[in-house]
Amino acid sequence: MSARTSPTGRPITIRRAVARDAKRLTRLVRGSGAYAGKYAAAVAGYRVGPDYLEAHRVFVAVGADEQGGRVLGFYSLVLAPPELDLLFVADDAQGRGIGRLLVAHMRSEARAAGLDRVRVVSHLPAEGFYHRAGAVRVGTVRANPPAVPWDRPAFEFHVSPE
């Protein structure tokens, strides 16, 4: 577990996700405002299960000042091939620096795993976030209907050695 402070000064703890987090993470994905409207079908049946949490490096950001230690966001780092598979911040927690904290933590985990870069295929509304968080655009992933009927930008985070 690592304790950090968001840019707004609120204490945030980042810890490894555990099986009991699975339902909360699934709700966070399915309830994301970034997937409203035409994007809703992409996450309608999505499930973050205990098996997924066990297979990947999934970390949650928990608000230490939140009642019950509410999960404010999470990410999933897949090691082979290196990819930021998921990164979500609760709609009402956006703008508090939690996404940037999660990216910084992900880079640290990637560095510890010996990775020099991590790919992310972005959801269109998140493209600006990844650019501001330091990812470099490396291409476009073409649509894959019916699951994903739109093209998506591909980025890479470069991971510097310590």
Side-chain angles (χ1 to χ4, degrees):
M1 233 176 356
S2 65
R4 299 173 185 222
T5 304
S6 75
T8 60
R10 296 182 176 159
I12 305 290
T13 299
I14 298 178
R15 63 164 172 80
R16 188 80 184 247
V18 295
R20 71 177 179 275
D21 293 320
K23 287 182 182 178
R24 290 191 283 179
L25 302 184
T26 296
R27 282 193 303 271
L28 202 154
V29 170
R30 290 182 185 175
S32 172
Y35 283 90
K38 70 179 182 178
Y39 300 118
V43 297
Y46 199 88
R47 178 179 167 269
V48 180
D51 53 334
Y52 183 89
L53 299 178
E54 188 174 315
H56 304 295
R57 293 183 182 206
V58 182
F59 290 85
V60 297
V62 179
D65 62 339
E66 305 282 341
Q67 188 175 26
R70 184 171 75 101
V71 172
L72 301 172
F74 77 101
Y75 77 88
S76 172
L77 176 62
V78 175
L79 296 181
E83 182 176 9
L84 177 61
D85 187 37
L86 300 169
L87 191 150
F88 281 85
V89 174
D91 289 352
D92 65 343
Q94 292 180 11
R96 292 170 43 184
I98 295 164
R100 286 187 178 274
L101 286 175
L102 289 169
V103 166
H105 191 274
M106 179 275 301
R107 283 181 145 160
S108 177
E109 284 292 312
R111 184 178 305 109
L115 304 176
D116 64 350
R117 64 190 69 232
V118 175
R119 182 173 192 235
V120 60
V121 177
S122 177
H123 178 51
L124 289 171
E127 182 175 7
F129 166 77
Y130 287 115
H131 178 73
R132 288 187 306 276
V136 176
R137 179 132 186 205
V138 294
T140 300
V141 174
R142 297 290 171 214
N144 183 21
V148 184
W150 52 84
D151 293 347
R152 295 167 293 156
F155 290 90
E156 277 188 352
F157 283 103
H158 296 275
V159 179
S160 304
E162 288 188 299

